[in-house]
Amino acid sequence: MKVEDKVSKWAIELQSLAQAGLFYGKDVYDKERYQRIREIAAEMMAERTEFPAEKIAGLFCNDVGYQTPKVDTRAAIFKDGKILLVHEMDGHWSVPGGWCDLDQSPMENTVKEVKEEAGLEVSVRSVIAVQDRDKHNEPPYAYGVVKIFYLCEVLGGSFSPNSETTETRYFAEEEIPNLAEEKCSREQIQMCFQAYRSPDWKTQFD
């Protein structure tokens, strides 16, 4: 979803304000107004993107409470100087990871995601970076995302096909294949290599 113009940014802000109003508002008539503002914001986004209004509403107006960023965790795993990537169902590659579950800490979620997508048991060694997704990945989303990259070490396990990935493979830095850029960019892969090679890497953050 492209968010490149002022109107789209205004729509995102209106949706956030309407969501807060729906959650904290007490007056039934005010809530009706906030709901209509939310619908208008979704219609504005639909006009500015290629997505139908129904999909925009599902992505854009599906949360409750005060709007805060979602958390996405990613695991950088290396072997013989190469990074592990998982091959997703759409044909693109990414480092293992995904949305942080409600009952998992970011570190626990990273371990879980690696097990589900790559079949490996890992331990987390350090934090590579904490990033604002929209500063590093395309296309922009209509909601905020905080991405946390961890440097991980394999303890055991092996890959088996699953509902999310079809294979895993280790790649040298100059061999990186077609990536799922919305999840993991080449810049982020290069950052992971730099962290892996640096004994005194300092966590990057936005």
Side-chain angles (χ1 to χ4, degrees):
M1 181 186 300
K2 292 290 184 182
V3 184
E4 298 174 339
D5 60 276
K6 288 184 178 180
V7 172
S8 297
K9 292 178 181 178
W10 290 336
I12 291 171
E13 184 175 0
L14 283 172
Q15 197 292 128
S16 179
L17 293 171
Q19 181 175 313
L22 285 167
F23 186 71
Y24 292 110
K26 302 299 182 183
D27 185 88
V28 62
Y29 299 108
D30 282 344
K31 287 195 171 188
E32 289 178 357
R33 296 182 187 101
Y34 286 128
Q35 180 60 41
R36 181 55 190 145
I37 291 171
R38 199 178 206 189
E39 292 169 358
I40 291 171
E43 291 167 8
M44 290 167 67
M45 289 298 293
E47 284 291 320
R48 294 291 182 173
T49 67
E50 70 276 16
F51 291 98
E54 296 78 14
K55 184 167 185 179
I56 290 291
L59 292 170
F60 195 43
C61 305
N62 202 31
D63 204 2
V64 295
Y66 188 81
Q67 189 168 23
T68 59
K70 299 178 183 293
V71 177
D72 175 86
T73 66
R74 296 285 153 181
I77 302 166
F78 290 88
K79 179 180 178 182
D80 300 327
K82 298 182 177 183
I83 193 169
L84 178 75
L85 299 181
V86 293
H87 194 214
E88 302 190 343
M89 293 295 182
D90 66 359
H92 295 90
W93 296 80
S94 178
V95 293
W99 296 124
C100 192
D101 289 340
L102 184 64
D103 61 346
Q104 302 279 323
S105 72
M107 186 180 72
E108 292 169 340
N109 195 75
T110 305
V111 172
K112 176 187 71 70
E113 288 289 332
V114 173
K115 181 65 174 177
E116 291 176 352
E117 295 186 358
L120 300 177
E121 299 170 7
V122 299
S123 63
V124 174
R125 290 175 49 191
S126 61
V127 179
I128 297 173
V130 180
Q131 296 183 334
D132 176 350
R133 183 199 171 279
D134 275 358
K135 296 182 185 297
H136 301 274
N137 298 88
E138 291 288 343
Y141 284 174
Y143 47 84
V145 179
V146 173
K147 295 181 71 70
I148 307 175
F149 287 82
Y150 291 98
L151 186 62
C152 298
E153 182 177 358
V154 175
L155 302 176
S158 60
F159 176 78
S160 58
N162 55 79
S163 61
E164 297 182 76
T165 58
T166 60
E167 63 174 309
T168 63
R169 198 182 307 173
Y170 287 91
F171 293 89
E173 189 170 2
E174 65 274 10
E175 300 172 340
I176 300 303
N178 191 23
L179 296 172
E181 293 279 348
E182 73 280 7
K183 298 178 181 179
C184 183
S185 69
R186 290 185 180 274
E187 171 196 339
Q188 289 164 331
I189 294 279
Q190 291 167 355
M191 175 186 67
C192 292
F193 271 99
Q194 292 168 6
Y196 167 70
R197 293 168 181 151
S198 175
D200 49 356
W201 176 262
K202 294 181 180 177
T203 301
Q204 305 293 297
F205 53 88
D206 293 328

